[in-house]
Each structure stands twice: as C-alpha cells, then as structure tokens.
Amino acid sequence: MTLVIGNWKMHGTHHKIVAFLAQLSPAPAGITPVLCFPFPYLTLASQLLPHGYSLGAQDLSCYDQGAYTGQVSAAMLKDCGVHYVLIGHCEHRDARDTIEKKIDQAMRYGLEPIVCFEKKSQILQFSAPCTLAYEPAVGADSLPEDLSAQILDLLELCKKPLLYGGSVNTDTLKNLCPLPISGLLVGRASLEASSWCQLLETLAGAKRTPGHFFH
Ligand code: PGA
C-alpha cells in the first residue's frame, strides 16, 4: 500500500473543498490517498471523501483537554473522522519533546502519526512505531541530487516506513518512483483536482510497471 498525503496547509474554503472533492474518482488500486485539510473543514471533508481515501489532520495538541487556546485534541480529530495526523512539520517548528508527546497522544487515540523531519540526525529521536516523512530543505521545485543514496541511508537507520515530501508533482515523480519509499507527502500539487488526480494516476501507472520500488 502506497500512502499519498495531500497537505493543504492553510489553503481552501468551504466552496473550494466541496468542488475539489466532487472532481475526485475512487482511489487507484494499491494507493491510499490521504487529504489533510485545515481543521474547520475536516468534518465536511469526512462526509465527501471518495472511496479508498482517508482523512488527515495537519497537527494535534499534545494534551488531552484543558485551557489550551487554539489547540485541537486527538479525541476531537477522531470525532471528525480523522485517521492520520502530520506531526513535526517544518512549518511548525515543534520542539523534540513536543513531537514525542504528540506521537504518543496520536497513538493513544488510534490516529496514525506521520512524523516529518528535515535532517538525518532527527530520526534517531523517534523510537515509537510511526511512519516518517523526509522533507529535506532544498530549493523550490527541486529534489536533492543524491536522493537515492540518502533514502537508502535513512531506511537503514530508521527501519520504518518512509515517505518523501517537498516539490512532489508529476514532473518530479519520475525521479521518485524508483526509490524504495512507502509514499509521498504532497503540498502544492494537492491543491487542484487536476494536478492531484494526475499525480495519483501517474503513480498508479508506475506501480504497474516492472522496475519500480515503491512498496
Ligand atoms: P510542497 O509541500 O509539495 O508544496 O513542496 C510539501 C510539504 O511541505 O508538505
């Protein structure tokens, strides 16, 4: 099963999300697409997701409940139909112990944590069973030159399912398909139904072609 996580970040409106979801087809075989919309639209999206899709959230609180203005708990996400949650995205800059508490919180409530990291040195911090998403800091629209070697090195070290994120689109996909990764974390290319569906279809085609290494 290949996970393709669409991270909408702080984009979208009620109208745009309804229109986007109406244009999607059921998930291609062997691929689990996950859409992470902003918190206010999660319940709406959970009612409109196509067959084979899952719902994700972009963050969660490390607390159960209480006086934490602006935070959203794991229980609330479960209530909204969420299955996956991004943790430690570089746009949050959470401290290491906060990330650990969030992973723990997600697992206690039956959410699947997708833990993002930018540097190899960070992965030894994550002992809990979780999926990791490698998002190295490289220029926009480019992939690291020695990505294949980096991925093999990371897999050897972490022994966990590994996703790749950062400038993933139908153009960069040809360089990502041969890698032994478990899926993708997609930002910009997830925002329009055309680019998102094209990405899923291209990936599904590549998975049927001998020689790809996607799990
Ligand atoms: P991008 O974002 O695909 O727009 O580079 C990915 C992410 O930061 O989650």
Side-chain angles (χ1 to χ4, degrees), residues 24-161:
L24 304 185
S25 310
I31 295 180
T32 298
V34 178
L35 288 167
C36 301
F37 295 111
F39 291 137
Y41 304 118
L42 291 173
T43 303
L44 168 77
S46 76
Q47 291 155 7
L48 301 174
L49 281 182
H51 181 75
Y53 272 67
S54 277
L55 191 61
Q58 297 175 20
D59 192 22
L60 84 169
S61 174
C62 51
Y63 304 107
D64 273 326
Q65 61 177 339
Y68 303 106
T69 302
Q71 298 197 28
V72 174
S73 71
M76 292 169 187
L77 296 180
K78 283 294 276 187
D79 252 1
C80 296
V82 168
H83 287 279
Y84 292 88
V85 61
L86 297 177
I87 294 177
H89 194 281
C90 63
E91 289 157 12
H92 282 298
R93 307 238 167 256
D94 278 336
R96 172 185 168 170
D97 66 325
T98 306
I99 293 177
E100 278 169 3
K101 284 182 194 156
K102 287 182 176 183
I103 297 173
D104 190 48
Q105 196 69 358
M107 289 176 33
R108 282 181 46 227
Y109 282 86
L111 296 165
E112 296 268 347
I114 309 286
V115 183
C116 308
F117 69 101
E118 277 184 301
K119 295 195 182 94
K120 179 180 165 183
S121 58
Q122 290 170 273
I123 61 175
L124 293 174
Q125 300 167 11
F126 312 125
S127 52
C130 58
T131 297
L132 296 178
Y134 179 44
E135 289 210 296
V138 276
D141 297 319
S142 56
L143 302 178
E145 274 176 20
D146 56 348
L147 183 57
S148 178
Q150 286 189 38
I151 294 289
L152 291 173
D153 192 29
L154 292 172
L155 281 171
E156 177 69 24
L157 206 58
C158 73
K159 304 195 173 12
K160 291 181 175 32

Side-chain angles (χ1 to χ4, degrees), residues 7 9 89-91 135 165-168 185-189:
N7 177 13
K9 308 190 180 186
H89 194 281
C90 63
E91 289 157 12
E135 289 210 296
S167 301
V168 176
L185 176 56
V186 188
R188 284 158 291 171

